[in-house]
Amino acid sequence: MGVFGKPHDLGNISTYRGESTKLEDYIGWLGDNFDPSISWKDLEWVREFWDGPMVIKGILDQQDAKDAVSFGADGIVVSNHGGRQLDGVVSSAKALPDIADAVKGNIKIFADSGIRSGLDVVRMLALGADCTLLGRSYIYALAAQGQKGVENLLDLYEKEIRVAMTLTGAKCINDLSSDSLANI
């Protein structure tokens, strides 16, 4: 979408390609550059140049989560990328409990995909996430009303989280567990 009347441009890709990149150009570029051989070895190569925190997104499998711990990642994002890359892939909510059982306490577990309300945040925390990501709803709020929209969204999420916690009997975030889901 164009913001403030400016044409849409994928700036980070445009900088890399050295020319303006629109969505249709990006899809072609992505297809030409998708490499199915990428592996943990490639992340080790990145790690040689980056000593800051590393969070690995797209984890939907216990073994990948365990590999991320072994690799030394600081966190993982249990994510199916909103289902936009592999339509029909397992949901983050479905994958999260097994992943949390495998690695909770050894690595920070973030979750995204399908989080559209404070109740969704509570569900993901009850399923084992340490934190959730709100990218899409935040972007919609920003596009609609700028900073005021984001502030309103965060207020709404907070109220929905408080209501859900009250209805489940949770006095604090740490009280949430899979048992809480029976009440929501």
Side-chain angles (χ1 to χ4, degrees):
M1 101 180 61
V3 178
F4 303 119
K6 296 178 183 174
H8 185 67
D9 180 80
L10 299 168
N12 55 340
I13 301 298
S14 295
T15 300
Y16 177 79
R17 292 181 69 221
E19 61 186 81
S20 179
T21 303
K22 297 186 180 354
L23 185 57
E24 57 272 11
D25 302 325
Y26 171 70
I27 297 301
W29 177 85
L30 184 63
D32 292 342
N33 289 282
F34 185 79
D35 183 354
S37 70
I38 291 176
S39 69
W40 291 102
K41 292 275 185 209
D42 296 285
L43 285 177
E44 291 170 7
W45 176 81
V46 170
R47 182 50 92 193
E48 288 178 27
F49 299 95
W50 174 254
D51 62 357
M54 185 177 285
V55 177
I56 302 171
K57 183 175 179 179
I59 303 293
L60 289 173
D61 170 275
Q62 279 183 335
Q63 188 57 52
D64 284 342
K66 290 175 183 177
D67 289 346
V69 170
S70 296
F71 170 73
D74 299 283
I76 57 173
V77 182
V78 178
S79 173
N80 69 4
H81 306 287
R84 73 179 185 278
Q85 291 175 333
L86 277 178
D87 188 11
V89 73
V90 67
S91 72
S92 297
K94 179 84 170 159
L96 182 55
D98 289 340
I99 290 170
D101 285 345
V103 299
K104 184 110 175 144
N106 297 318
I107 196 168
K108 289 295 179 191
I109 303 172
F110 300 87
D112 78 357
S113 303
I115 300 168
R116 304 287 182 265
S117 69
L119 180 55
D120 291 334
V121 171
V122 168
R123 285 182 181 128
M124 291 299 221
L125 295 174
L127 290 170
D130 294 309
C131 182
T132 64
L133 307 176
L134 312 174
R136 194 169 298 173
S137 56
Y138 146 77
I139 292 297
Y140 291 159
L142 182 65
Q145 291 184 304
Q147 179 177 337
K148 182 180 176 187
V150 174
E151 289 171 356
N152 184 50
L153 174 81
L154 294 175
D155 286 342
L156 182 61
Y157 269 62
E158 180 185 6
K159 289 173 185 165
E160 292 169 344
I161 289 168
R162 288 185 186 282
V163 167
M165 288 178 62
T166 298
L167 294 175
T168 62
K171 292 182 170 58
C172 67
I173 295 291
N174 289 336
D175 289 345
L176 294 170
S177 70
S178 59
D179 292 339
S180 305
L181 296 175
N183 297 319
I184 52 177

